[in-house]
Amino acid sequence: MNGAFKFFAPLVAVLAVAACSAGGSSSVPVPGWQSNGLARAACDTAPPGGARCLVLVESKGGARPNVSGWGPSDIQTAYNLPSSTKGTGELVAIVDAYDNPDVTSDLGEYRSYFGLGTAKFHKYNQKGQQSNYPQGSPGWGVEIDLDAQMVSAACPKCTIDLIEANSENSSDLQTAEAEAVKLGAHIISNSWICYSYSCTIDPSYFDKKGVVYTAGSGDDGYGQIGPPMSLATVTAVGGTTLAKNSSGYSETVWPYAGAGCTSEIKKPKWQHDPSCSYRTAADVSAVADNVAEYDTFSGGGWFTVGGTSVATPLIAAVYALAGNASKVHADKQLWSKKASKGLHVITSGSDGSCGGSYLCTAGTGQYKTYAGPTGWGTPDGVSAF
């Protein structure tokens, strides 16, 4: 196998956001991908106040020359992307923690293998320096490689800026977020999440006019959500399972995608679903399973990965292909009637138990075209973006 709203906060700028749906628990249960032995989390722990990267290293393997997993041609074809003609001059920024010293060479190998040409790629520390990088982390290194490669897969002509935060603490990640804006990014991809009640996120770092923020909805299923994806100014990216047959590509809900009704974020006026009085997530989605990655820092070479951290940079790249990120309110546009014409609707699958509601199950309830784990669907071209 080669798819302007102001954040509401009650009198404080920094908010400890609960990582659960209304009525949920602060503890995170063992996710199905772990209990079933399907994958391991590259970032298996996070310190108090810290975020966790979302990439999952799957049990499936693959080695050159027969690389396993979905590659750029699958992604571009499944999502009808204008990857060969669009993206020149567009900048996508990636914010991650720690350093991957091999990211440039790994990205070069990925692009060479898939015939994507030479990358326009720059790496910075959280102060905007192209030196004095933070210490390396093999776990976050897998995430860094994945993010750069997924932007390349969907938008090979795009320029990619990687900003490496000193650590997974929210203060460092937010500093890197601000630096991405200073460097000129209008699209910023965040493949990490804060599940802990103790993790504080200042929403102002994710609410700059003319900037589209994408963030993974999480990999632990229904109800297990948190910032930055839960913020009303961030495009929450869910996940699908992609399949291919003689008639083309099809998708179902990736069963571990985070989704639900937040308990902290006031419902935006442009959200109109009936069963959540707070901010509903996700907004949109892309493939989150069985995707090819090349990484040497962790010692793996070619292998397959999953998680909403796959989908997040892909969606960021789709915004770049659309070419108008500085002019759109991304979330509001996705929830408009206009966007539905440019999305593949996901009609089957679930990410947990919610009484059969659309908040966790596709094709149900009043909004048969919306499902919490996949949002309004996956890209069908770029008109929705």
Side-chain angles (χ1 to χ4, degrees):
M1 292 176 292
N2 297 26
F5 182 80
K6 295 183 179 179
F7 175 79
F8 171 83
L11 304 179
V12 293
V14 179
L15 191 66
V17 186
C20 59
S21 63
S25 168
S26 62
S27 63
V28 179
V30 176
W33 51 261
Q34 181 177 338
S35 60
N36 294 326
L38 300 176
R40 66 172 177 84
C43 300
D44 56 354
T45 60
R52 194 177 84 190
C53 79
L54 290 169
V55 61
L56 305 177
V57 179
E58 297 178 335
S59 57
K60 298 183 284 288
R64 191 171 181 171
N66 298 313
V67 173
S68 298
W70 303 113
S73 63
D74 296 296
I75 291 164
Q76 294 171 20
T77 303
Y79 298 137
N80 192 27
L81 300 179
S83 304
S84 63
T85 58
K86 301 291 185 180
T88 300
E90 296 293 330
L91 171 61
V92 178
I94 297 163
V95 171
D96 281 313
Y98 298 109
D99 180 40
N100 180 336
D102 300 331
V103 60
T104 302
S105 58
D106 286 349
L107 180 59
E109 173 64 20
Y110 179 90
R111 292 179 66 108
S112 175
Y113 181 83
F114 289 114
L116 301 178
T118 302
K120 297 176 182 178
F121 176 76
H122 312 99
K123 185 171 80 167
Y124 302 90
N125 67 15
Q126 68 180 44
K127 295 181 179 180
Q129 301 169 335
Q130 292 187 289
S131 60
N132 303 314
Y133 299 113
Q135 68 181 18
S137 165
W140 279 89
V142 176
E143 183 65 73
I144 289 169
D145 270 339
L146 173 63
D147 291 346
Q149 290 167 24
M150 290 304 98
V151 173
S152 293
C155 187
K157 294 181 181 293
C158 282
T159 298
I160 304 171
D161 279 1
L162 167 66
I163 299 89
E164 296 181 333
N166 288 344
S167 75
E168 68 271 84
N169 288 331
S170 55
S171 59
D172 285 329
L173 287 163
Q174 289 172 169
T175 297
E177 207 78 22
E179 189 58 42
V181 176
K182 291 180 183 177
L183 291 168
H186 291 289
I187 306 163
I188 305 177
S189 176
N190 302 278
S191 292
W192 48 271
I193 196 168
C194 180
Y195 286 123
S196 171
Y197 276 88
S198 65
C199 187
T200 57
I201 289 291
D202 183 339
S204 68
Y205 285 92
F206 301 87
D207 189 15
K208 300 302 181 185
K209 186 177 181 180
V211 180
V212 170
Y213 299 87
T214 66
S217 69
D219 300 339
D220 291 354
Y222 173 68
Q224 300 301 328
I225 53 181
M229 61 77 71
S230 58
L231 303 180
T233 55
V234 174
T235 298
V237 184
T240 66
T241 297
L242 185 66
K244 184 179 181 181
N245 53 43
S246 59
S247 61
Y249 295 86
S250 62
E251 292 173 280
T252 59
V253 171
W254 184 57
Y256 312 114
C261 180
T262 70
S263 60
E264 299 287 338
I265 311 302
K266 183 178 180 180
K267 195 169 195 65
K269 293 180 180 179
W270 39 264
Q271 279 197 334
H272 41 72
D273 58 304
S275 299
C276 175
S277 58
Y278 295 89
R279 197 270 202 258
T280 303
D283 302 309
V284 69
S285 55
V287 60
D289 181 45
N290 192 35
V291 173
E293 175 179 353
Y294 184 79
D295 171 82
T296 57
F297 184 43
S298 67
W302 287 104
F303 49 89
T304 61
V305 293
T308 55
S309 62
V310 175
T312 299
L314 287 178
I315 293 298
V318 173
Y319 276 109
L321 291 171
N324 62 346
S326 64
K327 302 176 183 178
V328 301
H329 185 306
D331 294 6
K332 182 178 180 180
Q333 180 162 310
L334 286 168
W335 282 76
S336 70
K337 292 182 179 180
K338 176 183 176 181
S340 62
K341 298 179 181 179
L343 296 168
H344 296 294
V345 176
I346 311 303
T347 59
S348 63
S350 174
D351 70 342
S353 177
C354 61
S357 165
Y358 66 89
L359 292 173
C360 74
T361 307
T364 61
Q366 179 180 351
Y367 291 100
K368 296 184 182 298
T369 57
Y370 177 87
T374 54
W376 290 101
T378 60
D380 182 8
V382 298
S383 64
F385 299 85

